[in-house]
Amino acid sequence: MSAQSATTNLKYLGIFLLTSQQICMPLMARYTRARQESDSFFTTVNVLVMEIMKLCACTFLILREHGDPQRFVRDVKSAIWDDPVETAKVCFPAVIYTLQNNLYYIALTHLDATTFCILYQLKIFSTALLMRMLLNRRLSSYQWFALALLVVGAADVQWSSSSHEGPAHTNDAYGLAAVATMCFTSAIAGVYLERVLKGSNVSVWMQNIRISLIGLPVSLFSMCYYEWSDIQRDGMFRGWDFWVILLTATNSLGGLLIAMVIKYADNILKAYAQSGAIVGAVVGSWLIFGFVPSFFFMIGAILVMISIVIYSSYPYRAPADEQPLPVKGPRL
């Protein structure tokens, strides 16, 4: 098999796995959170275990690549302890990702999986605006049109969803607040990574080890601060079953899938993967939860999917004689 053929296979395998993960994740999260509170898992424990699993997976991948445990230890020491400035730079995204992982479960406790999948695409809108304001990143007229279409579609979906009563223990306002915070923090993390970490020569796996080593104590503190008394009473793994374990593993390894897709696939394929995930979430919600989308809900979902494809397919292309805009603020 040629190198080009292998790269193509990896590209489509990554897209397939990422689409499957984005379909299954919200459905499993909704299923495992739609229980009585006494039977639900602790979200902070789940996030802590996710960080441990991600750290183990990245360690395995680097060891497999190097084939020498001593070299691995030297590389970790060099990347983390011997380069404290670069390590300090990942503290912010590590805290952001820990916050987002907890908000993810809050959102899916109060919103159905399909509504969450669609509303969370507003992160494209918030990221584009921050990129434009802080990094002077230009957008094409098609992309501005796509962002407007995205907002209209998301508003339509939320309007359609708010007319339906959810389970007694859910609160749409909490779910919307969690999604809005996720979209905003995702945009901040995207801008930060673009500005601060883009020039780093550390591999993506080592970067994930850095983030996990910082995220672990943050997750541990969060678990002890918010749920220690309940953990002492019910045990650390209250509510854990096969589906929670599968959810945790899928969520933990999702970031590695995204890294794989970023390396091998283009933006258009990723856009189709996101759109496919929305369709999969609709079908899965119908089969598992009996969710029947209204006509206006489907119109909103279609508008969001179209906007994603347009935004990714028609990026801004600068004329040959155009001077780049200066980046605002000091370089970190």
Side-chain angles (χ1 to χ4, degrees):
M1 181 183 295
S2 66
Q4 182 178 358
S5 177
T7 300
T8 301
N9 290 339
L10 282 173
K11 176 173 67 176
Y12 288 109
L13 175 63
I15 287 292
F16 171 77
L17 292 175
L18 182 62
T19 305
S20 302
Q21 189 248 7
Q22 292 185 348
I23 292 171
C24 296
M25 273 283 301
L27 293 173
M28 287 191 293
R30 179 64 176 170
Y31 176 75
T32 54
R33 295 299 295 168
R35 302 173 178 177
Q36 295 297 324
E37 187 174 351
S38 59
D39 297 324
S40 295
F41 62 88
F42 298 113
T43 58
T44 54
V45 173
N46 186 274
V47 172
L48 176 66
V49 174
M50 279 169 45
E51 289 292 348
I52 294 172
M53 293 178 69
K54 185 172 72 172
L55 178 62
C56 293
C58 291
T59 300
F60 170 77
L61 288 170
I62 295 178
L63 281 172
R64 184 173 178 271
E65 180 180 341
H66 289 177
D68 182 1
Q70 291 184 343
R71 181 184 171 190
F72 167 74
V73 172
R74 288 196 302 270
D75 286 350
V76 170
K77 179 178 179 295
S78 174
I80 297 173
W81 303 112
D82 296 343
D83 196 354
V85 174
E86 288 298 315
T87 301
K89 288 179 180 180
V90 303
C91 289
F92 179 70
V95 173
I96 289 290
Y97 294 148
T98 302
L99 173 64
Q100 284 189 318
N101 285 330
N102 282 283
L103 288 171
Y104 183 85
Y105 293 120
I106 294 174
L108 282 161
T109 300
H110 298 283
L111 298 174
D112 64 81
T114 306
T115 301
F116 169 81
C117 281
I118 294 172
L119 294 181
Y120 189 43
Q121 301 310 316
L122 285 170
K123 66 183 178 181
I124 299 172
F125 177 81
S126 57
T127 302
L129 289 187
L130 280 184
M131 288 281 191
R132 181 70 183 103
M133 291 187 294
L134 300 180
L135 299 182
N136 274 327
R137 180 69 55 80
R138 291 185 182 275
L139 301 176
S140 69
S141 55
Y142 286 104
Q143 287 180 310
W144 284 114
F145 171 72
L147 291 177
L149 205 62
L150 175 64
V151 172
V152 171
D156 186 22
V157 166
Q158 174 51 30
W159 175 78
S160 301
S161 300
S162 63
S163 61
H164 299 286
E165 289 291 331
H169 69 283
T170 63
N171 186 320
D172 281 357
Y174 291 160
L176 289 175
V179 173
T181 307
M182 288 180 71
C183 291
F184 180 68
T185 53
S186 176
I188 292 176
V191 171
Y192 182 89
L193 291 171
E194 177 81 9
R195 184 76 180 276
V196 178
L197 299 181
K198 189 174 182 180
S200 176
N201 57 2
V202 175
S203 73
V204 66
W205 313 127
M206 188 63 73
Q207 203 72 275
N208 273 281
I209 287 179
R210 273 178 173 170
I211 292 174
S212 290
L213 288 176
I214 296 168
L216 273 171
V218 175
S219 300
L220 184 61
F221 172 80
S222 178
M223 181 189 74
C224 294
Y225 183 81
Y226 288 105
E227 293 173 321
W228 183 246
S229 58
D230 292 331
I231 288 173
Q232 286 182 308
R233 185 186 66 243
D234 300 329
M236 186 172 176
F237 295 102
R238 184 192 75 185
W240 280 61
D241 57 15
F242 170 78
W243 294 109
V244 176
I245 295 171
L246 183 61
L247 168 68
T248 307
T250 305
N251 200 356
S252 173
L253 301 178
L256 306 183
L257 278 176
I258 292 173
M260 178 180 177
V261 169
I262 288 173
K263 183 175 181 179
Y264 292 108
D266 55 34
N267 286 331
I268 297 176
L269 279 177
K270 286 185 283 184
Y272 281 116
Q274 289 175 289
S275 300
I278 292 174
V279 174
V282 172
V283 174
S285 295
W286 170 58
L287 293 174
I288 299 171
F289 306 111
F291 170 76
V292 180
S294 66
F295 172 76
F296 287 106
F297 187 102
M298 291 303 299
I299 292 296
I302 290 170
L303 289 178
V304 169
M305 289 187 287
I306 291 173
S307 73
I308 293 171
V309 174
I310 293 175
Y311 186 87
S312 300
S313 301
Y314 298 98
Y316 177 79
R317 290 181 173 85
D321 58 346
E322 181 179 273
Q323 295 296 320
L325 290 173
V327 175
K328 299 177 182 177
R331 174 68 63 177
L332 298 179

